[in-house]
Amino acid sequence: QLKQLLESNAKAGRETTLIIDEAQAIESEEVLEEIRLIMNIQDQSELLLNIIFIGQPELKEKILKLRQLAQRIQMWFHLPPLSAEETAKYIQYRLQAVGGNTGIFTPEACQKIYSLTGGIPRLINNVCNMALWIGEKNQLQKIEEETVEMGFHTLKG
């Protein structure tokens, strides 16, 4: 049925893409092997399915252990951690996207967030969320370094 769907899409001029987010969470080599087999579905010489794996750095390690799967990966892209400047811009962008006050985090707080997270966006989000929660709870107008530090330590437990 999957092959029929993919062939139908191809005949209609549509490309089909399967996006697997958080792919590092796939524990089973059998599941990865099934994905590899799905990657082989083709019509004559044309592949009918594009697969995009999105995941943390350990995903690449998992895939490289499965040589036949690794050989089918046409492109690898690794998003490096953000710089201190990029971290501040990222925080401002996220606040702007939700209609928030882009200046609520002081420059020193942004620098502290960078030093605590190493510029990893997921960690930046978590620390910022906790700092904002603490700031709201304490009715703060600005998020300073101390609030960021409290948020970080709260996350660590």
Side-chain angles (χ1 to χ4, degrees), residues 53-142:
F53 291 97
I54 301 172
Q56 299 297 315
E58 57 268 24
L59 171 62
K60 188 171 184 179
E61 295 168 22
K62 280 185 179 185
I63 289 175
L64 288 174
K65 288 179 185 175
L66 303 169
R67 194 177 76 224
Q68 289 184 340
L69 176 59
Q71 291 171 350
R72 285 171 174 72
I73 305 293
Q74 294 179 4
M75 184 183 322
W76 297 89
F77 181 78
H78 174 75
L79 179 64
L82 303 176
S83 68
E85 182 180 331
E86 290 168 331
T87 297
K89 288 180 180 178
Y90 177 72
I91 293 167
Q92 290 175 348
Y93 169 78
R94 299 263 306 176
L95 288 165
Q96 181 181 16
V98 297
N101 175 0
T102 58
I104 194 166
F105 285 91
T106 66
E108 297 79 14
C110 290
Q111 180 60 44
K112 186 63 162 180
I113 292 165
Y114 170 73
S115 68
L116 292 170
T117 64
I120 297 172
R122 179 183 305 240
L123 299 178
I124 294 168
N125 295 344
N126 292 343
V127 171
C128 287
N129 287 343
M130 186 57 69
L132 286 168
W133 181 78
I134 291 169
E136 198 252 335
K137 181 178 157 190
N138 294 308
Q139 299 178 345
L140 301 176
Q141 299 301 308
K142 292 275 186 187

Side-chain angles (χ1 to χ4, degrees), residues 40-51:
N40 289 334
I41 298 175
Q42 55 185 352
D43 184 18
Q44 295 158 5
S45 64
E46 181 182 1
L47 291 176
L48 299 176
L49 179 64
N50 300 306
I51 299 180

